[in-house]
Amino acid sequence: MFAIVSKSDGYPVSRSAGSGQPDLVVTWTSGDKARAFIAAKGIEADYAVVALTEDALTTMAKALGCDADAIAFDSYPEK
C-alpha cells in the first residue's frame, strides 16, 4: 500500500480533524497510481509517494502525535 504524505509537515493528505476518529491515510494499490494522482493534481512539489513500511508508519504516527495503531487505512476510490 502507498500513502501520499506532505513533504513540508509530514501529515498524510487525509486526516481526522480531532473528532476522536482514527486518522485516515489515503492508500493506493501501487506507487504508479499514487504518483499519477499527484501529477494529475499538479502537487508534485508538495507531496510524495511513500511505501507504507513499519518505519514510515511510525514516522507518520509521530508527526500526527498518535500511536501507529490509531491510524486507519482506506484505499482512494479508483476508477
Side-chain angles (χ1 to χ4, degrees), residues 1-6 9-15 23-27 48-73:
M1 285 193 235
F2 293 81
I4 292 183
V5 178
S6 171
D9 65 8
Y11 284 104
V13 168
S14 296
R15 62 185 187 277
D23 293 292
L24 179 66
V25 175
V26 180
T27 62
V49 175
V50 178
L52 290 181
T53 63
E54 202 61 40
D55 289 339
L57 186 57
T58 299
T59 300
M60 282 187 258
K62 185 176 178 181
L64 289 166
C66 67
D67 292 329
D69 292 341
I71 300 175
F73 293 90

